[in-house]
């Protein structure tokens, strides 16, 4: 298929995509092959923490590219050491493994928990995960996920991921056996439609894991790095995991992710258990440090919380008008529609006259908003106008 001068058929057809070819991005704006502008409230799926092409990312890439790109993971490099130290200090988890995608970080978390189970829990290997969870697209992370429609894909699944129900402690307790090594979850289930784990549930899970000698794994690939208004979502509930995964916003748009663990748990990995050609490469690590320098600052995070309040009131107004509801954590928010027209609204928003609006529908009745963390008050006002126009086309 052709879109203007661009031939698209050489790419594997793994996703339905609209008729636009992205050629440029600036902050909250994406520009296509015709020069059409879109207000981007998807931002690469909550990836561009500082918007498109922020100077911090562009400068870090350019400077590091002139100095050292990849000495191989067999050597220490200054950029990776710097990023690891900052992540450890911010999270309170002493050991960091840097990698390239959220799925890779979660795959590492699963391996680490299983290795720890071999050494510390008599070979226990089961990791309790949750219905509607999303942990990535490798075979093990798909098996850990509870996304509907995935049950029968790519059989046989990797065994060892019994599914509990979010915010239902009894459903977790019922699955615990001598084979159990860990409980793994997202503080906010993003793909499920921005469904929050209750603070009380997370606190009870922490207590349960402590009492049973199990590891608590938090997948903060989407919620981490300021998305929910604090550097990590777990800070808001006072629950520190034993293993934490980060991705998306950490790289501000470049492929960077991280697996973090307490010193005691990380000690289960022996040389050779975990690695990868691009793991800890200085080009991406330098960007991660630049993103953290911008985001992990009290004034920046206060700004995220201020914009959160503004976006929330816009969404509450729309929800009241349509008879829907609004929910979320920080700048990861959702509008729940009374009817399953979310995909039509997304299409209408993209195709609005003059200026387009990019939003996402993780569920037939749910629209998800993930603007840049430095979105401005004026851009949220603009969003409100464009969103209203899109909702008119598809009520
Ligand atoms: C996006 C996401 C992943 C997968 O990250 P990739 O970088 O796409 O592999 C895993 N967990 C959660 C919660 C995510 O949102």
């Amino acid at each position: 298929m052709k879109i203007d001068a661009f031939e698209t058929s050489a790419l594997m057809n793994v996703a339905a995509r609209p008729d636009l070819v992205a050629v440029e991005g600036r902050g909250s704006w994406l520009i296509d092959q015709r020069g059409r502008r879109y207000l981007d409230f998807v931002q690469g799926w909550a990836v561009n923490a500082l918007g498109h092409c922020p100077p911090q990312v562009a400068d870090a890439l350019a400077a590091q590219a002139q100095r050292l790109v990849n000495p191989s993971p067999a050597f220490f490099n200054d950029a990776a050491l710097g990023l690891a130290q900052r992540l450890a200090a911010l999270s309170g988890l002493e050991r960091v493994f840097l990698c390239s995608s959220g799925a890779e970080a979660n795959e590492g978390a699963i391996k680490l928990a299983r290795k720890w189970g071999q050494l510390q829990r008599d070979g226990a290997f089961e990791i309790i995960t949750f219905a509607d969870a999303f942990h990535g697209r490798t075979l093990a992370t798909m098996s850990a996920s509870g996304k509907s429609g995935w049950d029968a894909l790519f059989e046989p699944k990797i065994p060892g991921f019994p599914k509990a129900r979010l915010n239902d402690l009894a459903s977790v307790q019922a699955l615990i056996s001598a084979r159990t090594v860990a409980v793994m979850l997202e503080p906010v289930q993003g793909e499920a439609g921005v469904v929050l784990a209750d603070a009380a549930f997370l606190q009870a899970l922490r207590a349960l894991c402590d009492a049973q000698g199990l590891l608590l794994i938090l997948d903060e690939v989407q919620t981490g790095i300021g998305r929910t208004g604090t550097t990590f979502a777990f800070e808001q509930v006072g629950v520190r995991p034993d293993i934490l995964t980060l991705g998306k916003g950490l790289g501000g748009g470049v492929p960077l992710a991280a697996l973090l663990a307490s010193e005691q748990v990380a000690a289960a990995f022996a040389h050779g258990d975990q690695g990868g050609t691009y793991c800890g490469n200085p080009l991406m690590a330098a960007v991660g440090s630049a993103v953290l320098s911008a985001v992990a600052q009290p004034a920046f995070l206060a700004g995220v919380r201020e914009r959160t309040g503004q976006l929330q009131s816009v969404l509450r107004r729309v929800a009241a008008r349509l008879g829907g509801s609004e929910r979320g954590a920080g700048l990861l928010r959702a509008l729940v529609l009374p009817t399953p027209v979310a995909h039509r609204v997304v299409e209408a928003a993209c195709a609005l006259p003059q200026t387009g609006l990019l939003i996402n529908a993780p569920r037939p009745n749910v629209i998800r908003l993930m603007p840049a963390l430095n979105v401005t008050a004026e851009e949220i006002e603009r969003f409100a106008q464009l969103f209203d126009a899109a909702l008119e086309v598809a009520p």
Side-chain angles (χ1 to χ4, degrees):
M1 190 189 87
K2 278 198 120 174
I3 302 175
D4 293 336
F6 297 93
E7 180 53 60
T8 64
S9 58
L11 282 180
M12 278 197 201
N13 192 10
V14 298
R17 299 185 175 105
D19 266 8
L20 76 90
V21 179
V23 295
E24 211 182 317
R26 284 276 165 274
S28 287
W29 296 89
L30 189 70
I31 298 153
D32 77 6
Q33 79 285 2
R34 294 182 174 175
R36 181 175 152 79
R37 286 159 57 82
Y38 303 82
L39 182 61
D40 189 354
F41 270 40
V42 175
Q43 289 287 357
W45 271 265
V47 163
N48 304 322
L50 302 171
H52 289 282
C53 300
Q56 297 95 326
V57 169
D59 293 349
L61 274 174
Q64 189 63 43
Q66 306 280 342
R67 216 153 58 73
L68 181 68
V69 172
N70 201 341
S72 113
F75 304 113
F76 292 118
N77 72 73
D78 57 349
L81 292 171
L83 177 58
Q85 282 218 308
R86 296 179 73 154
L87 285 173
L90 284 167
S91 68
L93 295 167
E94 295 93 348
R95 296 281 187 262
V96 180
F97 175 79
L98 298 171
C99 52
S100 310
S101 76
E104 192 183 8
N106 283 333
E107 188 86 18
I110 292 163
K111 286 169 64 179
L112 181 58
R114 284 189 173 195
K115 186 74 191 296
W116 187 84
Q118 279 185 347
L119 299 174
Q120 305 286 340
R121 265 183 81 83
D122 211 16
F125 65 92
E126 283 189 355
I127 299 175
I128 297 172
T129 59
F130 289 82
D132 297 313
F134 180 80
H135 297 298
R137 292 172 189 278
T138 62
L139 273 176
T141 55
M142 282 184 88
S143 303
S145 297
K147 205 169 151 84
S148 58
W150 278 13
D151 324 16
L153 268 179
F154 312 123
E155 289 292 290
K157 287 276 178 306
I158 309 288
F161 298 102
K163 300 290 180 302
R165 287 181 303 276
L166 197 68
N167 296 325
D168 179 349
L169 195 69
S171 75
V172 180
Q173 281 164 324
L175 294 173
I176 294 175
S177 75
R179 293 188 301 273
T180 311
V181 71
V183 179
M184 175 174 186
L185 77 163
E186 306 152 82
V188 180
Q189 291 187 333
E191 287 298 308
V194 190
V195 179
L196 279 71
D198 300 335
F201 178 67
L202 287 167
Q203 288 154 2
L205 269 185
R206 178 71 273 179
L208 179 66
C209 287
D210 288 343
Q212 300 275 345
L214 305 176
L215 301 177
L216 180 65
I217 305 173
L218 285 184
D219 175 350
E220 290 226 34
V221 169
Q222 190 158 145
T223 54
I225 317 301
R227 178 56 52 184
T228 68
T230 47
T231 302
F232 308 105
F234 73 72
E235 293 170 51
Q236 293 175 40
V237 291
V239 166
R240 201 186 307 282
D242 304 292
I243 299 178
L244 172 72
T245 56
L246 301 169
K248 295 204 164 96
L250 176 62
V254 305
L256 176 66
L259 161 66
L260 289 80
S262 66
E263 185 163 1
Q264 188 265 335
V265 172
F269 268 160
H271 290 175
D273 284 354
Q274 180 67 341
T277 303
Y278 296 117
C279 295
N281 78 84
L283 191 62
M284 299 308 140
V287 176
S289 284
V291 170
L292 281 181
S293 294
V295 172
Q297 301 294 343
F300 185 93
L301 293 168
V304 172
R305 294 192 291 270
E306 207 172 302
R307 292 288 82 76
T308 296
Q310 189 191 353
L311 181 58
Q312 220 172 354
S313 50
V314 168
L315 293 174
R316 280 187 180 147
R317 181 165 51 74
V318 176
R321 195 178 74 225
L322 299 177
S325 60
E326 186 274 345
R327 65 182 177 221
L331 289 176
L332 172 58
R333 307 215 72 81
L335 177 73
V336 185
L337 297 162
T339 50
V341 294
H343 294 285
R344 274 174 57 206
V345 175
V346 167
E347 276 173 31
C350 185
L352 282 171
Q354 278 120 38
T355 303
L357 170 67
L358 302 179
I359 51 180
N360 160 254
R363 287 281 156 119
N365 66 330
V366 178
I367 289 173
R368 177 171 48 169
L369 294 325
M370 304 159 276
L373 301 181
N374 57 3
V375 65
T376 65
E378 294 72 32
E379 285 161 350
I380 292 179
E381 284 310 310
R382 195 70 204 281
F383 161 79
Q385 294 163 0
L386 294 169
F387 195 38
D388 277 344
L391 286 162
E392 242 167 67
V393 182

